[in-house]
Each structure stands twice: as C-alpha cells, then as structure tokens.
Amino acid sequence: MTEATHPDTLHASALQVFPPETRARFAASYPEVPHRLDHALRDHPLLSIEALAQLGEALPGASVEYNRGDLPIGVDGKPIATGLSIGETIRRVDTSNSWAVLKNIEQQPAYAALLESLLGEIESEITAKTGEMLKTQGFIFVSSPDAVTPYHFDPEHNILLQVRGSKVMTVFPAGDATYAPDETHEGYHTGGPRELSWRDELMAGGTPIALAPGQAVFVPVMAPHFVKNGPAPSISLSITWRSEWSYAEADARSFNQRLRAMGLSPRAPGRWPAQNRAKAYATRLLRRAGLT
C-alpha cells in the first residue's frame, strides 16, 4: 500500500466513532431489530476514493467484486461486471455506472486496525447479548449514482456505515418465509447463492432506512434487504461479526435440508434467543464424520 493507507494515517480511529446515545440505541435493539445509528467516520483517510482504489488493487482477486450499477432489485444469478479494472471502477465511480465491494479488508493491516477499533467500541454491548464476537470482517462498498445492490441476505451481524453520498436500504423481516423461503435459507447454507427471488408485492413488508454521511444501519443476521444509491457516488463501510447463535442457526438450516431431502417438512430454526442446539450439534457431528 502507498502512503495513503499507511498505519500512521489511523489517528482518526483513536477518536470515539459511536457516540453514547448510539451505543445505547444499539444495546436496546441488538440483535434482532434493524435500526439507524450515528457515527463519526466521515473523513477517515483510509476511506477516500484513492485509498480505496489502491486497496482494491492490493487485495487478492477473490476479495474483489464489481458489477454494473443499473441492476433490477432482483437478479437471476451473478450480475454482470463493468469491463473496467477494480482500481478504475472506483476512481471513475462518478461515471462508471457500477457498484464495487472490497471484501475482507482486514487482510491489509491498516484496515484490520480500523475494524478492530470500531468493533471494540461496541464489544461490550454485543457480548452481553450474543457472546463472543467470532469471525470479524470488514467490507467496503463503492457505488455510482443510482446504483442498486440487489435483494439478498447475509449470515453475519452487520453495521453498514455511510461515509459519502446517500442511499436507502430496505430491510425485510428476518426468519419470515414470506421474504426468503426456508428452502432458500437451506440452499444458501449448503453452498447456494445469497441472491433472493424478488416479487413486487414484497415491497409492502420492507422498512426503508435512509442513510446520509455520518449515519449507519444495523442489519440482523439473514434479514433480506436491497440497497438503492442516491444521486451522488457512495462509499459505505460494513463491519460484521458472527456469533455462536448465528453459526447454530446456519447449522440447523443445513440439518433441515437433510431432513427435507428425506421427504420431511422440518420446522424452521428459531430466531434469537432460541439456540437451535440440537440440530446444530447434529450437523456438526455429521461434519466431523465426513458426511456433509
């Protein structure tokens, strides 16, 4: 990395990013209620366009994804790439009609330190509810004006911090088969895609959360959502973590797929604080025996 991402530029991360009132709101709502938060990360030097272009060029290819921005809310399979390199996609975000995601930014030491600092501020609120933070990861999204991130879900607890530009994330109830059928969950946890089938009638059940620079949104585990960017280029930082609860829910879904393959109609895993231990342990035993 060049001077733009040298660890010396991390002085801003020593400041408190999440104010006390945000931490109190997070503690009251975590882990099941999506809600808007505030942050003080807007001017961090690691999140400038040039620093992010350099980060994209430094990350391995498997950690970079970039697609056209003029996508529908629902897509069938993986979207289409932009035809530009990741560096040029980001540098030309004003006009490249794209969205890009830089995955596992913690592979670069300066960004690992930033992620650790941010999660450290809210660690006590997290561990009080869902225990130890596991598999902490960071993702950065750089999007052109009006770009759409299609309808999907994610297995992590997630806070998306808006740094530049605006967007609206529309979040749907987690664990409700109306918005993501149980079979879709089971397929995802056994290697299937995270993109979800969209029907316009689903929109009535969504909660739109508008984000401006300095605002953030918490998204529960496996809560379906899509994102529509505003009229200016956007930069967002997603900080994520897993919990034993999230892993148990995933393993229970995997076990349900085996039951469904046997012609049964298994009950969906319970949402937090249900622990889903029996099915999760069954999957883990099968995994250790090499049967999954």
Side-chain angles (χ1 to χ4, degrees):
M1 304 296 288
T2 70
E3 184 179 354
T5 54
H6 190 278
D8 289 346
T9 65
L10 282 170
H11 64 278
S13 67
L15 303 175
Q16 186 179 52
V17 172
F18 297 114
E21 57 271 23
T22 278
R23 291 183 56 180
R25 191 180 316 128
F26 176 70
S29 303
Y30 178 74
E32 283 292 85
V33 181
H35 57 284
R36 191 161 54 194
L37 303 166
D38 299 302
H39 69 85
L41 201 67
R42 293 176 57 177
D43 299 318
H44 199 289
L46 291 180
L47 301 176
S48 71
I49 286 291
E50 182 57 30
L52 295 179
Q54 293 175 25
L55 174 62
E57 291 165 341
L59 288 170
S63 298
V64 171
E65 181 180 352
Y66 48 110
N67 301 299
R68 288 176 52 180
D70 55 347
L71 296 171
I73 293 171
V75 295
D76 184 12
K78 282 292 183 184
I80 302 170
T82 65
L84 301 172
S85 70
I86 182 59
E88 287 309 299
T89 296
I90 293 173
R91 291 185 179 97
R92 294 165 57 181
V93 67
D94 292 49
T95 59
S96 62
N97 183 27
S98 62
W99 62 266
V101 55
L102 308 179
K103 306 175 184 179
N104 300 114
I105 62 173
E106 67 278 0
Q107 295 173 88
Q108 292 291 322
Y111 290 89
L114 176 61
L115 176 65
E116 181 180 7
S117 174
L118 293 172
L119 289 175
E121 288 192 21
I122 54 174
E123 183 175 8
S124 61
E125 288 83 2
I126 292 169
T127 57
K129 294 283 188 70
T130 57
E132 180 184 3
M133 287 189 296
L134 307 172
K135 198 177 181 180
T136 59
Q137 297 176 300
F139 304 83
I140 294 175
F141 300 87
V142 183
S143 308
S144 293
D146 302 314
V148 171
T149 302
Y151 188 53
H152 69 286
F153 52 22
D154 302 299
E156 305 92 357
H157 308 275
N158 175 22
I159 297 176
L160 181 77
L161 298 90
Q162 189 68 14
V163 176
R164 173 182 170 184
S166 64
K167 61 179 50 172
V168 176
M169 177 184 286
T170 302
V171 185
F172 297 80
D176 187 328
T178 302
Y179 304 100
D182 292 331
E183 294 88 344
T184 302
H185 280 271
E186 294 159 15
Y188 170 73
H189 287 301
T190 52
R194 69 180 63 204
E195 289 79 23
L196 300 171
S197 296
W198 175 255
R199 308 184 309 277
D200 287 343
E201 58 265 31
L202 297 179
M203 186 69 83
T207 300
I209 301 176
L211 299 175
Q215 295 180 321
V217 58
F218 169 73
V219 185
V221 169
M222 302 304 281
H225 57 281
F226 69 86
V227 182
K228 179 71 165 62
N229 200 40
S234 168
I235 297 173
S236 306
L237 167 63
S238 181
I239 58 174
T240 75
W241 62 98
R242 299 293 297 269
S243 62
E244 170 54 27
W245 178 84
S246 77
Y247 280 119
E249 191 268 352
D251 287 337
R253 292 284 188 183
S254 298
F255 190 74
N256 276 359
Q257 188 184 60
R258 298 179 68 90
L259 296 179
R260 201 176 300 278
M262 297 165 60
L264 302 175
S265 298
R267 178 182 298 178
R271 294 296 299 181
W272 188 88
Q275 295 302 304
N276 304 306
R277 288 192 180 99
K279 289 180 178 178
Y281 289 164
T283 290
R284 293 168 190 180
L285 288 172
L286 291 169
R287 192 177 294 138
R288 292 190 194 103
L291 299 176
T292 61

PDB file of all heavy atoms in Angstrom, residues 1-9 45-46 48-55 57-58 91 108 110-111:
ATOM      1  N   MET A   1       0.846  -1.193   0.000  1.00  0.00           N
ATOM      2  CA  MET A   1       0.000   0.000   0.000  1.00  0.00           C
ATOM      3  C   MET A   1       0.882   1.244   0.000  1.00  0.00           C
ATOM      4  O   MET A   1       1.995   1.222   0.504  1.00  0.00           O
ATOM      5  CB  MET A   1      -0.910   0.012   1.238  1.00  0.00           C
ATOM      6  CG  MET A   1      -1.784  -1.234   1.371  1.00  0.00           C
ATOM      7  SD  MET A   1      -2.961  -1.393   0.023  1.00  0.00           S
ATOM      8  CE  MET A   1      -4.090  -0.084   0.473  1.00  0.00           C
ATOM      9  N   THR A   2       0.385   2.354  -0.516  1.00  0.00           N
ATOM     10  CA  THR A   2       1.141   3.584  -0.532  1.00  0.00           C
ATOM     11  C   THR A   2       0.872   4.385   0.730  1.00  0.00           C
ATOM     12  O   THR A   2       0.164   3.965   1.625  1.00  0.00           O
ATOM     13  CB  THR A   2       0.753   4.420  -1.752  1.00  0.00           C
ATOM     14  OG1 THR A   2      -0.572   4.904  -1.559  1.00  0.00           O
ATOM     15  CG2 THR A   2       0.834   3.620  -3.034  1.00  0.00           C
ATOM     16  N   GLU A   3       1.452   5.592   0.754  1.00  0.00           N
ATOM     17  CA  GLU A   3       1.316   6.444   1.932  1.00  0.00           C
ATOM     18  C   GLU A   3      -0.141   6.683   2.312  1.00  0.00           C
ATOM     19  O   GLU A   3      -0.469   6.861   3.481  1.00  0.00           O
ATOM     20  CB  GLU A   3       2.009   7.778   1.661  1.00  0.00           C
ATOM     21  CG  GLU A   3       2.009   8.718   2.865  1.00  0.00           C
ATOM     22  CD  GLU A   3       2.732  10.008   2.544  1.00  0.00           C
ATOM     23  OE1 GLU A   3       3.315  10.099   1.458  1.00  0.00           O
ATOM     24  OE2 GLU A   3       2.709  10.907   3.394  1.00  0.00           O
ATOM     25  N   ALA A   4      -1.058   6.644   1.331  1.00  0.00           N
ATOM     26  CA  ALA A   4      -2.467   6.930   1.607  1.00  0.00           C
ATOM     27  C   ALA A   4      -3.063   5.958   2.603  1.00  0.00           C
ATOM     28  O   ALA A   4      -4.024   6.264   3.289  1.00  0.00           O
ATOM     29  CB  ALA A   4      -3.279   6.900   0.306  1.00  0.00           C
ATOM     30  N   THR A   5      -2.494   4.735   2.671  1.00  0.00           N
ATOM     31  CA  THR A   5      -3.033   3.749   3.591  1.00  0.00           C
ATOM     32  C   THR A   5      -1.998   3.295   4.596  1.00  0.00           C
ATOM     33  O   THR A   5      -2.073   2.197   5.125  1.00  0.00           O
ATOM     34  CB  THR A   5      -3.581   2.537   2.808  1.00  0.00           C
ATOM     35  OG1 THR A   5      -2.556   2.042   1.943  1.00  0.00           O
ATOM     36  CG2 THR A   5      -4.785   2.912   1.990  1.00  0.00           C
ATOM     37  N   HIS A   6      -1.005   4.113   4.856  1.00  0.00           N
ATOM     38  CA  HIS A   6      -0.003   3.796   5.865  1.00  0.00           C
ATOM     39  C   HIS A   6      -0.646   3.816   7.250  1.00  0.00           C
ATOM     40  O   HIS A   6      -1.532   4.633   7.514  1.00  0.00           O
ATOM     41  CB  HIS A   6       1.135   4.822   5.805  1.00  0.00           C
ATOM     42  CG  HIS A   6       2.319   4.438   6.636  1.00  0.00           C
ATOM     43  ND1 HIS A   6       2.375   4.662   7.996  1.00  0.00           N
ATOM     44  CD2 HIS A   6       3.479   3.825   6.307  1.00  0.00           C
ATOM     45  CE1 HIS A   6       3.529   4.218   8.474  1.00  0.00           C
ATOM     46  NE2 HIS A   6       4.205   3.710   7.470  1.00  0.00           N
ATOM     47  N   PRO A   7      -0.249   2.914   8.186  1.00  0.00           N
ATOM     48  CA  PRO A   7      -0.851   2.907   9.517  1.00  0.00           C
ATOM     49  C   PRO A   7      -0.789   4.248  10.226  1.00  0.00           C
ATOM     50  O   PRO A   7      -1.611   4.522  11.103  1.00  0.00           O
ATOM     51  CB  PRO A   7      -0.034   1.835  10.253  1.00  0.00           C
ATOM     52  CG  PRO A   7       0.424   0.900   9.184  1.00  0.00           C
ATOM     53  CD  PRO A   7       0.673   1.781   7.989  1.00  0.00           C
ATOM     54  N   ASP A   8       0.170   5.134   9.854  1.00  0.00           N
ATOM     55  CA  ASP A   8       0.227   6.433  10.511  1.00  0.00           C
ATOM     56  C   ASP A   8      -1.026   7.258  10.272  1.00  0.00           C
ATOM     57  O   ASP A   8      -1.316   8.203  11.014  1.00  0.00           O
ATOM     58  CB  ASP A   8       1.442   7.227  10.014  1.00  0.00           C
ATOM     59  CG  ASP A   8       2.751   6.644  10.539  1.00  0.00           C
ATOM     60  OD1 ASP A   8       2.688   5.817  11.474  1.00  0.00           O
ATOM     61  OD2 ASP A   8       3.813   7.028  10.015  1.00  0.00           O
ATOM     62  N   THR A   9      -1.785   6.920   9.229  1.00  0.00           N
ATOM     63  CA  THR A   9      -2.992   7.679   8.935  1.00  0.00           C
ATOM     64  C   THR A   9      -4.161   7.258   9.803  1.00  0.00           C
ATOM     65  O   THR A   9      -5.259   7.772   9.645  1.00  0.00           O
ATOM     66  CB  THR A   9      -3.399   7.501   7.457  1.00  0.00           C
ATOM     67  OG1 THR A   9      -3.761   6.145   7.235  1.00  0.00           O
ATOM     68  CG2 THR A   9      -2.278   7.903   6.531  1.00  0.00           C
ATOM     69  N   PRO A  45      -9.026   8.995   6.490  1.00  0.00           N
ATOM     70  CA  PRO A  45      -8.191   8.947   5.277  1.00  0.00           C
ATOM     71  C   PRO A  45      -8.183   7.583   4.593  1.00  0.00           C
ATOM     72  O   PRO A  45      -7.937   7.520   3.381  1.00  0.00           O
ATOM     73  CB  PRO A  45      -6.795   9.319   5.793  1.00  0.00           C
ATOM     74  CG  PRO A  45      -6.837   9.070   7.264  1.00  0.00           C
ATOM     75  CD  PRO A  45      -8.243   9.358   7.694  1.00  0.00           C
ATOM     76  N   LEU A  46      -8.434   6.517   5.307  1.00  0.00           N
ATOM     77  CA  LEU A  46      -8.460   5.198   4.673  1.00  0.00           C
ATOM     78  C   LEU A  46      -9.691   4.989   3.800  1.00  0.00           C
ATOM     79  O   LEU A  46      -9.768   3.997   3.069  1.00  0.00           O
ATOM     80  CB  LEU A  46      -8.414   4.101   5.741  1.00  0.00           C
ATOM     81  CG  LEU A  46      -7.106   3.945   6.522  1.00  0.00           C
ATOM     82  CD1 LEU A  46      -7.225   2.815   7.526  1.00  0.00           C
ATOM     83  CD2 LEU A  46      -5.922   3.706   5.595  1.00  0.00           C
ATOM     84  N   SER A  48     -10.961   7.373   1.591  1.00  0.00           N
ATOM     85  CA  SER A  48     -11.005   8.239   0.419  1.00  0.00           C
ATOM     86  C   SER A  48     -11.043   7.387  -0.856  1.00  0.00           C
ATOM     87  O   SER A  48     -10.691   6.205  -0.847  1.00  0.00           O
ATOM     88  CB  SER A  48      -9.776   9.144   0.387  1.00  0.00           C
ATOM     89  OG  SER A  48      -8.604   8.387   0.090  1.00  0.00           O
ATOM     90  N   ILE A  49     -11.470   7.989  -1.960  1.00  0.00           N
ATOM     91  CA  ILE A  49     -11.554   7.261  -3.225  1.00  0.00           C
ATOM     92  C   ILE A  49     -10.199   6.686  -3.621  1.00  0.00           C
ATOM     93  O   ILE A  49     -10.081   5.511  -4.011  1.00  0.00           O
ATOM     94  CB  ILE A  49     -12.110   8.176  -4.336  1.00  0.00           C
ATOM     95  CG1 ILE A  49     -13.607   8.395  -4.146  1.00  0.00           C
ATOM     96  CG2 ILE A  49     -11.834   7.585  -5.717  1.00  0.00           C
ATOM     97  CD1 ILE A  49     -14.465   7.157  -4.388  1.00  0.00           C
ATOM     98  N   GLU A  50      -9.138   7.475  -3.548  1.00  0.00           N
ATOM     99  CA  GLU A  50      -7.828   6.988  -3.968  1.00  0.00           C
ATOM    100  C   GLU A  50      -7.330   5.869  -3.056  1.00  0.00           C
ATOM    101  O   GLU A  50      -6.778   4.870  -3.537  1.00  0.00           O
ATOM    102  CB  GLU A  50      -6.816   8.130  -4.023  1.00  0.00           C
ATOM    103  CG  GLU A  50      -5.425   7.700  -4.496  1.00  0.00           C
ATOM    104  CD  GLU A  50      -5.423   7.023  -5.864  1.00  0.00           C
ATOM    105  OE1 GLU A  50      -6.293   7.350  -6.703  1.00  0.00           O
ATOM    106  OE2 GLU A  50      -4.567   6.154  -6.090  1.00  0.00           O
ATOM    107  N   ALA A  51      -7.519   6.017  -1.748  1.00  0.00           N
ATOM    108  CA  ALA A  51      -7.105   4.951  -0.831  1.00  0.00           C
ATOM    109  C   ALA A  51      -7.859   3.665  -1.129  1.00  0.00           C
ATOM    110  O   ALA A  51      -7.288   2.560  -1.091  1.00  0.00           O
ATOM    111  CB  ALA A  51      -7.332   5.381   0.621  1.00  0.00           C
ATOM    112  N   LEU A  52      -9.148   3.767  -1.464  1.00  0.00           N
ATOM    113  CA  LEU A  52      -9.941   2.567  -1.733  1.00  0.00           C
ATOM    114  C   LEU A  52      -9.566   1.943  -3.079  1.00  0.00           C
ATOM    115  O   LEU A  52      -9.576   0.716  -3.226  1.00  0.00           O
ATOM    116  CB  LEU A  52     -11.423   2.907  -1.689  1.00  0.00           C
ATOM    117  CG  LEU A  52     -11.931   3.356  -0.319  1.00  0.00           C
ATOM    118  CD1 LEU A  52     -13.407   3.694  -0.385  1.00  0.00           C
ATOM    119  CD2 LEU A  52     -11.676   2.290   0.740  1.00  0.00           C
ATOM    120  N   ALA A  53      -9.225   2.776  -4.067  1.00  0.00           N
ATOM    121  CA  ALA A  53      -8.752   2.230  -5.346  1.00  0.00           C
ATOM    122  C   ALA A  53      -7.461   1.437  -5.127  1.00  0.00           C
ATOM    123  O   ALA A  53      -7.285   0.333  -5.663  1.00  0.00           O
ATOM    124  CB  ALA A  53      -8.537   3.352  -6.346  1.00  0.00           C
ATOM    125  N   GLN A  54      -6.561   1.975  -4.310  1.00  0.00           N
ATOM    126  CA  GLN A  54      -5.328   1.266  -4.008  1.00  0.00           C
ATOM    127  C   GLN A  54      -5.601  -0.010  -3.218  1.00  0.00           C
ATOM    128  O   GLN A  54      -4.962  -1.044  -3.437  1.00  0.00           O
ATOM    129  CB  GLN A  54      -4.386   2.180  -3.235  1.00  0.00           C
ATOM    130  CG  GLN A  54      -3.867   3.362  -4.040  1.00  0.00           C
ATOM    131  CD  GLN A  54      -3.038   4.311  -3.194  1.00  0.00           C
ATOM    132  OE1 GLN A  54      -2.466   3.927  -2.180  1.00  0.00           O
ATOM    133  NE2 GLN A  54      -2.965   5.570  -3.605  1.00  0.00           N
ATOM    134  N   LEU A  55      -6.553   0.044  -2.305  1.00  0.00           N
ATOM    135  CA  LEU A  55      -6.913  -1.153  -1.549  1.00  0.00           C
ATOM    136  C   LEU A  55      -7.442  -2.232  -2.486  1.00  0.00           C
ATOM    137  O   LEU A  55      -7.058  -3.403  -2.392  1.00  0.00           O
ATOM    138  CB  LEU A  55      -7.957  -0.809  -0.492  1.00  0.00           C
ATOM    139  CG  LEU A  55      -8.544  -1.992   0.290  1.00  0.00           C
ATOM    140  CD1 LEU A  55      -7.461  -2.719   1.094  1.00  0.00           C
ATOM    141  CD2 LEU A  55      -9.672  -1.517   1.212  1.00  0.00           C
ATOM    142  N   GLU A  57      -6.758  -2.688  -5.569  1.00  0.00           N
ATOM    143  CA  GLU A  57      -5.652  -3.226  -6.374  1.00  0.00           C
ATOM    144  C   GLU A  57      -4.737  -4.114  -5.542  1.00  0.00           C
ATOM    145  O   GLU A  57      -4.056  -4.993  -6.091  1.00  0.00           O
ATOM    146  CB  GLU A  57      -4.873  -2.064  -6.985  1.00  0.00           C
ATOM    147  CG  GLU A  57      -5.677  -1.315  -8.050  1.00  0.00           C
ATOM    148  CD  GLU A  57      -5.080   0.034  -8.417  1.00  0.00           C
ATOM    149  OE1 GLU A  57      -4.259   0.573  -7.638  1.00  0.00           O
ATOM    150  OE2 GLU A  57      -5.437   0.569  -9.500  1.00  0.00           O
ATOM    151  N   ALA A  58      -4.703  -3.903  -4.222  1.00  0.00           N
ATOM    152  CA  ALA A  58      -3.823  -4.695  -3.358  1.00  0.00           C
ATOM    153  C   ALA A  58      -4.461  -6.002  -2.900  1.00  0.00           C
ATOM    154  O   ALA A  58      -3.755  -6.967  -2.595  1.00  0.00           O
ATOM    155  CB  ALA A  58      -3.416  -3.867  -2.135  1.00  0.00           C
ATOM    156  N   ARG A  91     -12.016   4.668  -9.099  1.00  0.00           N
ATOM    157  CA  ARG A  91     -11.586   6.044  -9.400  1.00  0.00           C
ATOM    158  C   ARG A  91     -12.603   6.777 -10.273  1.00  0.00           C
ATOM    159  O   ARG A  91     -12.741   7.994 -10.197  1.00  0.00           O
ATOM    160  CB  ARG A  91     -10.214   6.021 -10.077  1.00  0.00           C
ATOM    161  CG  ARG A  91      -9.075   5.596  -9.155  1.00  0.00           C
ATOM    162  CD  ARG A  91      -7.725   5.702  -9.841  1.00  0.00           C
ATOM    163  NE  ARG A  91      -6.658   5.314  -8.931  1.00  0.00           N
ATOM    164  CZ  ARG A  91      -6.105   4.098  -8.898  1.00  0.00           C
ATOM    165  NH1 ARG A  91      -6.529   3.145  -9.748  1.00  0.00           N
ATOM    166  NH2 ARG A  91      -5.152   3.823  -8.036  1.00  0.00           N
ATOM    167  N   GLN A 108      -5.475  -6.281   4.997  1.00  0.00           N
ATOM    168  CA  GLN A 108      -4.485  -5.206   4.984  1.00  0.00           C
ATOM    169  C   GLN A 108      -4.375  -4.631   6.401  1.00  0.00           C
ATOM    170  O   GLN A 108      -5.394  -4.275   7.011  1.00  0.00           O
ATOM    171  CB  GLN A 108      -4.892  -4.120   4.003  1.00  0.00           C
ATOM    172  CG  GLN A 108      -4.846  -4.552   2.549  1.00  0.00           C
ATOM    173  CD  GLN A 108      -3.417  -4.776   2.058  1.00  0.00           C
ATOM    174  OE1 GLN A 108      -2.508  -4.042   2.425  1.00  0.00           O
ATOM    175  NE2 GLN A 108      -3.225  -5.797   1.232  1.00  0.00           N
ATOM    176  N   ALA A 110      -3.643  -1.857   8.016  1.00  0.00           N
ATOM    177  CA  ALA A 110      -4.262  -0.600   8.423  1.00  0.00           C
ATOM    178  C   ALA A 110      -5.770  -0.748   8.563  1.00  0.00           C
ATOM    179  O   ALA A 110      -6.385  -0.213   9.498  1.00  0.00           O
ATOM    180  CB  ALA A 110      -3.933   0.495   7.401  1.00  0.00           C
ATOM    181  N   TYR A 111      -6.384  -1.499   7.649  1.00  0.00           N
ATOM    182  CA  TYR A 111      -7.834  -1.691   7.706  1.00  0.00           C
ATOM    183  C   TYR A 111      -8.205  -2.680   8.812  1.00  0.00           C
ATOM    184  O   TYR A 111      -9.287  -2.565   9.410  1.00  0.00           O
ATOM    185  CB  TYR A 111      -8.350  -2.146   6.345  1.00  0.00           C
ATOM    186  CG  TYR A 111      -8.281  -1.034   5.320  1.00  0.00           C
ATOM    187  CD1 TYR A 111      -7.132  -0.851   4.543  1.00  0.00           C
ATOM    188  CD2 TYR A 111      -9.327  -0.139   5.162  1.00  0.00           C
ATOM    189  CE1 TYR A 111      -7.049   0.186   3.629  1.00  0.00           C
ATOM    190  CE2 TYR A 111      -9.257   0.900   4.238  1.00  0.00           C
ATOM    191  CZ  TYR A 111      -8.115   1.059   3.479  1.00  0.00           C
ATOM    192  OH  TYR A 111      -8.032   2.108   2.583  1.00  0.00           O
TER     193      TYR A 111
END
